[in-house]
Amino acid sequence: MNNIKNLLRYILRSSKYIDFPLLITYLALCFIGLTMVYSASMVAATRGTLTGGVSVPGTYFYTRQLIYVIFGFGIVFFIAYLLNVKVLKAPKFQVGMMGFIVLLLLATLVVGSEINGSRSWINLGFMNLQASELLKIAIILYVPYIIERKRRQIQRDPTAILWPILFVGLIIGLVLLQKDVGQTLLISAIFFSIILYAGIGVKNFLKIGFFSLLGLFVVIIIIVVFRINILPTYLTARFSALENPFNFEDGIGYHLANSLLAIGNGGLFGRGLGNSIMKLGYLPEPHTDFIFAIIAEELGLVGVLIVLSLLFFIVYRSFELASRTTSYFYKLVCVGIASYIGIQTFINLGGISGLIPLTGVPLPFISFGGSSMISLSIAMGLLLIVSKQIRYEQARKRYINKKQAT
């Protein structure tokens, strides 16, 4: 009983250091996501078009997403309030984390389920686990850890992190072998964003980029020699549909053409929540990859701007925390999270609007998916840790100054 009371006291004391605007933004996006998952999937669920022809209740995907959100909030709460931050920089934790991710990625290649041309999921029964989503967090924690440890060496000789770079490149290569091009590009962008922000100098960054490209060249040679097919057959066709998808709306341009129609149907205020036409069988993944098109159709430009503003706030806050924290490790972690959420949002919106080819990357916090919600919740928990550290240091300085003044 005393332990519970002490825990509650600790939580109450810690609450004054929590970044509530950031936490409320996270919860608001989760609430919007839940609402739109239900709206986008209820008809298709009852028809069985999203479950292999098996009709399920209209609340099927909503209920599962609600469980993911509750579990995700539990992760945020645990990281923000209870996690000992020293664990994150412990060598044993870093080695164990990366080893676990590598095993998951290898297991995915062996026993993973193939969906839409990519073998990226492990069926656990209660959910499909996507190891590449967890890899994003692993990269965000591992690369800053390595750079901080070798910071002085890197300034003198950028090849000091050559082996860690090659190691990360090989892991990203495992994602590419799953034929998941979208996630491969996203994880690579997160990695290079952290390296670029690390402040190792343009010359050293170019050297690191050279070694990275050299490693990529070796991988390409291996792929060519052993004739490994790493690109989904539909990917090259989607480039052809970019210029005018309506010329190919009966084939490769079908998804994009209907996505653009959904966006155009929304106007300023939308057709009203639940009144989308394109979710009635015209968009094949209305609750995942194309959920933003449903938001545009049902909630209009106003709804679109609200969602984008909330996502922008998280990215902005991430960079702000990076500039304010005194920890070099946390600076790079915040930049990694900002690039994660910002670039993933761009890839999703770029795909459904015809700016870039469709790659199957979900919209952060909004699209249906357990692995994505777990990954994003860990990211939000890490941001709250950084914010709490900054606020605690500021309160400590105020206390010391006040004490010295008296």
Side-chain angles (χ1 to χ4, degrees):
M1 192 68 178
N2 287 332
N3 290 335
I4 296 175
K5 288 181 179 179
N6 291 334
L7 177 62
L8 290 174
R9 289 195 193 100
Y10 172 75
I11 291 171
L12 288 173
R13 286 198 306 270
S14 298
S15 292
K16 64 182 179 180
Y17 301 117
I18 292 295
D19 190 337
F20 281 103
L22 191 60
L23 181 60
I24 290 170
T25 302
Y26 162 74
L27 293 174
L29 282 167
C30 290
F31 175 77
I32 293 172
L34 277 171
T35 303
M36 295 313 303
V37 164
Y38 175 65
S39 176
S41 66
M42 58 180 179
V43 175
T46 55
R47 290 179 176 178
T49 55
L50 300 175
T51 51
V54 179
S55 178
V56 293
T59 56
Y60 176 78
F61 290 100
Y62 167 80
T63 303
R64 293 179 67 186
Q65 186 71 0
L66 179 61
I67 294 171
Y68 299 149
V69 168
I70 292 172
F71 183 65
F73 181 74
I75 292 173
V76 170
F77 180 85
F78 172 78
I79 294 176
Y81 282 97
L82 305 177
L83 180 67
N84 185 342
V85 294
K86 292 181 180 179
V87 172
L88 298 176
K89 294 199 285 185
K92 289 183 180 179
F93 170 79
Q94 292 286 338
V95 172
M97 174 185 68
M98 296 307 292
F100 175 69
I101 293 297
V102 170
L103 289 175
L104 270 182
L105 290 169
L106 290 173
T108 303
L109 289 172
V110 177
V111 299
S113 303
E114 186 170 327
I115 302 175
N116 296 330
S118 300
R119 187 182 292 273
S120 304
W121 292 267
I122 298 177
N123 189 345
L124 301 179
F126 58 92
M127 69 174 288
N128 287 324
L129 178 64
Q130 191 172 8
S132 57
E133 289 287 353
L134 300 180
L135 177 59
K136 296 171 189 174
I137 298 298
I139 295 293
I140 287 169
L141 290 174
Y142 176 72
V143 176
Y145 163 76
I146 290 295
I147 293 176
E148 185 185 50
R149 284 192 63 185
K150 298 178 176 289
R151 188 177 181 183
R152 292 184 179 178
Q153 292 175 263
I154 295 170
Q155 294 290 348
R156 297 191 302 269
D157 179 18
T159 59
I161 58 169
L162 176 60
W163 290 112
I165 284 175
L166 291 176
F167 173 63
V168 171
L170 288 173
I171 296 176
I172 295 175
L174 293 177
V175 179
L176 187 58
L177 287 176
Q178 297 171 5
K179 299 183 180 180
D180 196 338
V181 179
Q183 294 288 12
T184 302
L185 293 174
L186 175 57
I187 295 168
S188 300
I190 293 170
F191 171 64
F192 279 107
S193 296
I194 296 172
I195 294 291
L196 183 61
Y197 189 86
I200 59 177
V202 175
K203 185 178 178 181
N204 291 339
F205 177 77
L206 291 175
K207 288 182 180 179
I208 292 173
F210 170 76
F211 286 116
S212 301
L213 291 174
L214 186 63
L216 178 62
F217 181 68
V218 172
V219 171
I220 291 172
I221 290 176
I222 294 172
I223 290 169
V224 172
V225 170
F226 291 95
R227 297 181 180 179
I228 302 172
N229 182 19
I230 60 170
L231 296 177
T233 54
Y234 60 80
L235 187 62
T236 52
R238 286 183 177 175
F239 278 95
S240 303
L242 279 181
E243 187 175 351
N244 192 344
F246 294 98
N247 288 341
F248 307 93
E249 59 181 323
D250 292 330
I252 57 174
Y254 176 80
H255 298 65
L256 181 55
N258 285 303
S259 175
L260 293 175
L261 286 173
I263 294 171
N265 285 342
L268 183 60
F269 297 106
R271 300 177 58 87
L273 186 62
N275 293 328
S276 166
I277 296 175
M278 305 310 292
K279 71 182 181 184
L280 304 178
Y282 300 100
L283 282 175
E285 301 289 343
H287 63 314
T288 54
D289 301 346
F290 291 94
I291 197 165
F292 195 80
I294 304 301
I295 292 174
E297 186 179 9
E298 294 190 348
L299 304 181
L301 180 62
V302 173
V304 164
L305 291 177
I306 290 172
V307 172
L308 290 181
S309 296
L310 292 171
L311 289 168
F312 174 79
F313 176 77
I314 293 177
V315 175
Y316 167 78
R317 181 72 88 178
S318 300
F319 280 119
E320 183 188 26
L321 293 175
S323 66
R324 290 169 57 196
T325 181
T326 57
S327 168
Y328 188 66
F329 172 76
Y330 284 147
K331 282 182 185 294
L332 299 184
V333 167
C334 288
V335 169
I337 294 171
S339 62
Y340 169 16
I341 296 174
I343 296 172
Q344 181 161 322
T345 300
F346 170 77
I347 292 175
N348 178 269
L349 300 189
I352 68 166
S353 62
L355 185 62
I356 60 175
L358 291 165
T359 54
V361 172
L363 184 65
F365 303 103
I366 305 294
S367 294
F368 173 83
S371 299
S372 177
M373 184 56 65
I374 290 171
S375 175
L376 289 163
S377 296
I378 295 173
M380 292 303 298
L382 293 173
L383 286 179
L384 289 171
I385 279 184
V386 177
S387 182
K388 187 169 73 170
Q389 179 219 31
I390 293 169
R391 292 177 179 216
Y392 174 76
E393 288 178 354
Q394 289 174 341
R396 187 169 177 271
K397 285 180 181 178
R398 286 195 297 267
Y399 173 77
I400 292 173
N401 293 336
K402 186 177 180 181
K403 195 173 181 180
Q404 289 177 343
T406 55

